[in-house]
Amino acid sequence: MNDLLSMLSGGDIRSDGEADRVAEIVLGNPHMIEDLVQGLAVTDDVVRGRSAHALEKIARIRPEWLLDYLDWMIELSKDDPLPMVRWHLAMIFADMAGYEDRVAELVDCLTGLLLDSSVFVRSWTISSLCIIARLYPEHNAGVMQQISKYREDPSTAIRARVRKALEVLTDPNAPMPKGWVKSERLVV
């Protein structure tokens, strides 16, 4: 395990541990991005979850650093057993929306994540789809159709997220809900 991943190990998965500090280190040392990305492939749930968290922080500022790993992250989002990894990947996919040539692929992946068993994953997926549809109106109708299916979801949180997303997607003047857009680069 490399030094960055060692910083992310130990403790309880419910704690972010040193994820924010690791993100700061990598942002100051771009050559270390691969060391952090390797954390998504380890078997230790704590390290994997915190690696995803740190990568999501980096994607807000330097999404281009993750382009070489995007195909792998899309596949990982479908299979990783840890919800924390999947929801951070869903958040990263919104940050990657600045790359128009990848948007259709991101929408397909996120649409699949709407079926996830985790409320957190589905919630961030809805937010990410909403961000992408706001940036690329040609995806608006399809995204609205997909998320509308969850208006009667058993989860109150999902129903509320769907309601807010539909408000934003039906009214171009409606502000994006606070906290949904984490990227410093996206103007939604």
Side-chain angles (χ1 to χ4, degrees), residues 2 4-5 7-8 19-37 54-55 58 62 65-66:
N2 66 53
L4 281 180
L5 301 185
M7 288 178 68
L8 297 174
D20 290 345
R21 177 78 181 113
V22 166
E24 289 174 22
I25 290 169
V26 174
L27 284 166
N29 300 279
H31 65 279
M32 298 179 85
I33 190 71
E34 188 170 335
D35 290 343
L36 180 55
V37 170
L55 287 166
I58 291 166
R62 303 305 301 244
W65 292 0
L66 299 180

Side-chain angles (χ1 to χ4, degrees):
M1 188 178 308
N2 66 53
D3 290 342
L4 281 180
L5 301 185
S6 292
M7 288 178 68
L8 297 174
S9 66
D12 192 295
I13 190 71
R14 294 171 292 183
S15 163
D16 292 338
E18 294 292 323
D20 290 345
R21 177 78 181 113
V22 166
E24 289 174 22
I25 290 169
V26 174
L27 284 166
N29 300 279
H31 65 279
M32 298 179 85
I33 190 71
E34 188 170 335
D35 290 343
L36 180 55
V37 170
Q38 289 174 11
L40 294 176
V42 301
T43 56
D44 183 320
D45 285 352
V46 172
V47 173
R48 213 168 59 257
R50 290 177 181 163
S51 295
H53 177 89
L55 287 166
E56 185 267 318
K57 292 267 187 171
I58 291 166
R60 297 175 186 185
I61 300 165
R62 303 305 301 244
E64 69 276 10
W65 292 0
L66 299 180
L67 273 173
D68 289 344
Y69 308 102
L70 187 56
D71 291 333
W72 178 62
M73 289 190 297
I74 287 171
E75 288 307 310
L76 187 62
S77 74
K78 300 171 188 175
D79 299 326
D80 195 281
L82 190 63
M84 183 178 184
V85 170
R86 298 190 311 271
W87 86 60
H88 281 295
L89 289 173
M91 295 169 78
I92 288 170
F93 298 155
D95 295 327
M96 302 303 286
Y99 301 96
E100 189 172 0
D101 60 321
R102 303 304 300 266
V103 168
E105 187 178 4
L106 293 171
V107 169
D108 285 346
C109 175
L110 288 164
T111 299
L113 287 175
L114 287 171
L115 300 171
D116 199 278
S117 60
S118 167
V119 170
F120 291 109
V121 174
R122 291 187 293 138
S123 182
W124 281 110
T125 296
I126 291 166
S127 298
S128 293
L129 282 167
C130 185
I131 290 166
I132 290 171
R134 178 61 82 80
L135 290 169
Y136 301 95
E138 64 271 23
H139 291 282
N140 194 314
V143 166
M144 285 179 53
Q145 180 182 13
Q146 290 300 318
I147 65 176
S148 290
K149 297 175 184 176
Y150 299 92
R151 282 182 171 156
E152 303 302 321
D153 194 88
S155 166
T156 303
I158 296 298
R159 291 192 310 268
R161 188 70 57 125
V162 166
R163 197 168 36 257
K164 287 179 186 176
L166 292 174
E167 287 171 12
V168 166
L169 295 176
T170 56
D171 179 358
N173 297 315
M176 191 68 67
K178 191 172 181 82
W180 284 22
V181 180
K182 306 284 186 182
S183 174
E184 295 182 9
R185 293 179 156 203
L186 297 178
V187 178
V188 184

